[in-house]
Amino acid sequence: MKTNVILMLALSTASMAQKPLDKYVEIGIKNSIVLQQKNISLDKAVYSLKEANSLFFPSINLKGDYQSGEGGRQIAIPLGDMLNPVYGTLNQLTMSNSFPQISNVETNFFPKNFYDVKLRTAMPIINADLFYNRDIQKQQIKISEFEIEIYKKELSKNIKVAYYQYLSAAKAISIYENAIKVAQEAKRINEKLLNNGKTVKAYVLRAESEIQNLQSKITSSKQQEKNAQLYFNFLINASNDQVIDTLGSIELGEENIKNYLVSDLAISDRAELKAINQSISILSTVNNMNKNYWLPKLNGFIDLGSQASDWKYNDKSRYYFLGLQLDIPLFAGGNQLYKIKKSKLDIDLQKSQLMYMQQQLNLSANVAKNSIKSHYQSYQSAIQQTIAAKAYLDLIDKGYKEGINTFIETLDARNQLTISQIQELISKYDLMASIAVYEREINK
């Protein structure tokens, strides 16, 4: 209910110059769940670029270790065996006991109550992969933008086509309802004439049959209208029972039709082609990165920390430690060469996909252009048929009133007019739908 109110307010506050269909396209694009998902993907691509940029800056981490243990293997240090003979000699020379005898020492491998806390700062100095990665993320953003553009164009086309389908069904109901009024009036007149003995019952039965036939067509058209309404509201993400505004004028734009029929196809601006070209560019960047695998990587780091036992912190525990890390690939069993070949094949595959997409889009554009031509001719023919059917009905109706033509001939003439009007209506909206499809194909 809330969605219905919002949509109706949006349409009612639209400027008079703006057609309801244009407003519906805006609403559909704004409310599209798929577009919201694609915008999230775009946001993720932007954050991926920011993440790639952040890799150029230093990273600072606080690290800490604590270790304490007893038992296990021990190290024997024979200090007594090495120093006691020396100390004994010194005592004799000095005629004193200044150098006491000492015992051998045993110590454990495990440190006792030992901590090491440090602040490590690391920064890449030479790393070509970071530049390639940043370039890839920039191009990935463009692909996400192209995907959004593609879906917007496709959604716009689908909304237009669905709107024309709904109008076709709704206006067909109006034509059938007008026809049934005429048939009911004919039945009433013939019943009155029958009661006065001036006509036959067959005419009344024929009028009744015509009414039943028209009611059946109205029922069928209403079901088509309902289905078209459901699909249209699905496209604009509205409730199923949302009322569709059909009050605005829909111009056929015959001048545009003629221009489309004589103009050359223009598919080079299609976002699909741009997206594939961007994908080829990304794969080329990956290929270049693979080719430059031999470039050295140099990273630097510095540690500022403190380490000691029993949580002592003083001048002796504090330290700094810095260094450089150099990585130059020398041999990997041909691994990088295989990566280069694979990335080259990926580029060739994508170029093949580009050629196929160009052919496919060109075919679709030609088919859409031919569809405009066919529907335009059908529409012009339907207009002439309606004009002829009206003229024929006027003659038959006049002849019927003068007693020249029969009531059956009058009914047949009315049926021909109704059929012609329906055909003209269908042809008109089929033509407008084909225009929407063609405009999508030429990225208009």
Side-chain angles (χ1 to χ4, degrees), residues 17 49 53 59 126-127 172 197 207 232 264 270 326 372:
L49 175 59
N53 284 327
S59 63
I126 299 175
N127 192 339
F232 182 81
D264 295 329
R270 288 288 294 261
L326 179 63
I372 290 180

Side-chain angles (χ1 to χ4, degrees), residues 160-161 164-165 168 250-258 260-261 368-383 422-439:
K160 290 178 181 179
V161 172
Y164 297 144
Q165 290 174 344
S168 180
I250 301 293
E251 298 179 1
L252 190 57
E254 293 197 34
E255 190 64 31
N256 285 337
I257 296 175
K258 295 175 182 178
Y260 289 154
L261 292 178
K369 186 174 183 178
N370 292 335
S371 179
I372 290 180
K373 182 178 181 179
S374 175
H375 284 117
Y376 183 65
Q377 292 174 345
S378 297
Y379 177 59
Q380 295 296 322
S381 176
I383 292 175
I422 293 295
Q423 189 58 48
E424 180 183 347
L425 176 71
I426 293 174
S427 298
K428 175 183 177 181
Y429 288 112
D430 281 348
L431 174 59
M432 298 186 74
S434 67
I435 293 172
V437 172
Y438 181 74
E439 289 177 343

Side-chain angles (χ1 to χ4, degrees), residues 163-233:
Y163 188 73
Y164 297 144
Q165 290 174 344
Y166 177 79
L167 287 180
S168 180
K171 293 187 182 299
I173 293 173
S174 178
I175 292 174
Y176 286 130
E177 287 176 343
N178 289 333
I180 205 171
K181 289 178 182 179
V182 175
Q184 288 172 342
E185 179 63 16
K187 177 186 175 184
R188 187 189 67 80
I189 293 173
N190 277 282
E191 286 176 339
K192 186 176 181 180
L193 292 174
L194 179 63
N195 292 333
N196 294 328
K198 295 183 179 180
T199 187
V200 295
K201 190 175 182 179
Y203 288 172
V204 176
L205 295 176
R206 178 59 188 271
E208 179 65 31
S209 175
E210 183 64 20
I211 292 172
Q212 294 298 324
N213 182 47
L214 290 171
Q215 287 176 340
S216 175
K217 290 181 178 179
I218 289 175
T219 301
S220 178
S221 295
K222 285 184 177 180
Q223 186 59 51
Q224 292 177 7
E225 180 190 37
K226 182 62 177 177
N227 291 338
Q229 180 186 22
L230 290 172
Y231 180 59
F232 182 81
N233 285 330

Side-chain angles (χ1 to χ4, degrees), residues 264-320:
D264 295 329
L265 297 177
I267 62 170
S268 57
D269 287 336
R270 288 288 294 261
E272 290 88 342
L273 299 178
K274 294 178 181 178
I276 295 179
N277 277 316
Q278 197 65 60
S279 179
I280 292 174
S281 180
I282 290 177
L283 292 174
S284 297
T285 303
V286 173
N287 188 47
N288 291 333
M289 182 174 64
N290 291 334
K291 287 180 179 179
N292 292 323
Y293 72 94
W294 52 269
L295 291 176
K297 295 179 178 63
L298 180 63
N299 299 317
F301 72 91
I302 181 171
D303 291 342
L304 301 175
S306 174
Q307 58 178 216
S309 297
D310 299 325
W311 303 105
K312 294 179 181 179
Y313 179 76
N314 48 46
D315 292 340
K316 293 183 178 180
S317 71
R318 293 191 294 270
Y319 71 92
Y320 77 90

